[in-house]
Amino acid sequence: MSSTRTHSTLVVLGAAALLTASAAVPQASAAGRTSTTLTWYDATAENIATAGASAQVTNSRTWAISWLAAARATRSVPAGVDRGTYQDAALAAAVHRALVTLVPSRTEQLDATFEQTLDAIPDGTAEESGVTAGERQADLVLASREGDGLDPTSVNAPYPVRPAAPGVWQPTPPAYAPAAQYGNRLAKPFLLKSPSQFRLGPPPALNSGRYAADLAEVRAYGAADSTARTAHQTETATFWLGSSLTLYTEPLRVALTRTNQGTAGQARLVALFHVALVDTQIATSDSKYAYERWRPVTAIRTGSIDPDPDWTPLHATPAHPDYPSGHNTYSGAAETVLSALSGPRTAPFRLTSPTAPGVTRTYTTWKQLSDENVDARVYSGIHTRSADEAGITLGTDTARYVLRNEKNLFAPR
């Protein structure tokens, strides 16, 4: 496949360049050569950021399908062909085939990147058989996930709000928008036996000391006009305000550049990360809508503990129940997968956030990201600490289950 092809400026120009091209993808400084794996990691990130779905879990599904296909395609190599050539071709073909199916508006850019990848791979049987394997695995995974309920319309299925009562979720100011993500709990997981498999126990009772302490903390530190919250705490809230999928794209890339597991191991890391995160988001909505716990703004304005009808959180409250925090279920799952597959510590890496322009933070463990997420949602005034800590637990439990049962993902097909 050595014919001359038209060069496109939108083709991947290097691992860092593609991420820089999209303001929606946070940046970190991490060393690493531009490999086929990184080229297609960056292509996945850039194309989803540019033309992805409106629902985060739908985009997580795109990642999971694409990289699960790549992991399966690179898992074994036929006898008599060059291993590296076969795996590079298989990974590129798998991710390309899945992405052009799931993000069709980016077909031209994806085709150009695919052609450039193949131009860099030696022609021959290894390349041809790798492409065939990658496309076959992508088709199989796509077929297995058809109708899984993770399209944006299904994700945001209508939710009948219960009458107002102490503790019961109600639409929140300023938009008073309808409930979002209710349909996640009706979707088909990748590995969980059911969305409710790791359903959390109930949140603290409204007459408990823990509930009173939670509410007092978010009232003091999460108010828009808080005098208790420090400038650094405000920065933390703003830094972690955006989409978890966006915020964790670069930490996963850092882990990817620092692994010595080879192409198949890299594909496995990305696949397991996103499979775990899809299942975590499904489990999150199950617990949220099982308990329907009101948000702090509703509790503080209308509850029985020193009601303040004018209290306003630092950041607008998302349109779904408090318990558990979705940002923290995501963090707990991400930390678990990254720690298991790349170790709990890493050399320092720098991270920026699209919601905090000009701010750069440095990390050496994945747990630091989780710890900041727990605090951030309190400082934003949109979650109680109980909801945040429960989120870490649910994400951790779900990810551990995925890791224990990964053989069911990678069985021969």
Side-chain angles (χ1 to χ4, degrees), residues 322-337:
D322 176 58
Y323 182 88
S325 159
H327 267 58
N328 283 288
T329 61
Y330 199 106
S331 294
E335 177 191 341
T336 300
V337 174

Side-chain angles (χ1 to χ4, degrees), residues 1 19 22 51 54 62 130-131 178 180 204 207 281 287 298 309 315 327 337 342 349 376 385:
M1 300 185 185
L19 282 174
S22 173
S54 57
T62 297
V131 169
N207 61 355
Q281 289 170 83
S287 283
T298 309
H315 293 127
H327 267 58
V337 174
S342 65
F349 69 93
R385 189 167 294 274

